Amino acid sequence: MVRGDRSGRTQHLEAMAATESIRFLLLDDQWRPLGRVDGGRDWRHVLQELLLQGSHWLIVEQVRPNEGSPYPRRDDIRLARSIARRLRPLEVTLADHVIHGGREQFSFRAAGLL
């Protein structure tokens, strides 16, 4: 997040922090985990970790502990698309956005939304 940036992505991340948890999983080119970054951190920290790890792949992992449905809301879809768009100039690809709800999960990649 750039100072003064109040994008929809940033506002959605802040709103989610109150009721859900979000993490970013950094992957290597074989899609093996390199590390995790807490979504409550500043977006600049996520980008810094991506660059430090040399990662070109990112997974958004969202957990809804108080809700049984993993199906994405309109804001979740907008968030995934916004993150994917912002990663392109860095030559980083959003590999997936996974939402865990109850005992189920929803994968944007498997649903063809990425």
Side-chain angles (χ1 to χ4, degrees), residues 91-111:
E91 296 182 2
V92 175
T93 302
L94 183 59
D96 205 348
H97 179 164
V98 179
I99 302 173
H100 302 276
R103 293 186 172 152
E104 297 180 62
Q105 70 179 23
F106 181 90
S107 164
F108 278 57
R109 177 154 303 282

Side-chain angles (χ1 to χ4, degrees), residues 56-69:
H56 293 280
W57 301 95
L58 180 74
I59 292 177
V60 176
E61 188 176 43
Q62 188 176 341
V63 179
R64 295 181 178 156
N66 299 326
E67 188 177 329
S69 174

Side-chain angles (χ1 to χ4, degrees), residues 10-83:
T10 301
Q11 291 171 351
H12 185 65
L13 285 174
E14 290 172 356
M16 285 173 40
T19 59
E20 304 173 9
S21 66
I22 188 165
R23 294 179 296 244
F24 297 96
L25 181 60
L26 314 176
L27 305 175
D28 69 11
D29 288 337
Q30 284 75 46
W31 287 29
R32 293 179 301 221
L34 292 171
R36 284 199 165 137
V37 179
D38 178 24
R41 303 284 309 257
D42 189 300
W43 178 246
R44 289 177 294 190
H45 180 72
V46 175
L47 295 178
Q48 180 182 9
E49 286 298 315
L50 276 167
L51 296 173
L52 286 173
Q53 296 289 337
S55 177
H56 293 280
W57 301 95
L58 180 74
I59 292 177
V60 176
E61 188 176 43
Q62 188 176 341
V63 179
R64 295 181 178 156
N66 299 326
E67 188 177 329
S69 174
Y71 298 103
R73 301 177 192 122
R74 189 172 303 167
D75 284 346
D76 300 324
I77 295 168
R78 279 196 297 252
L79 174 67
R81 289 180 178 164
S82 174
I83 289 173

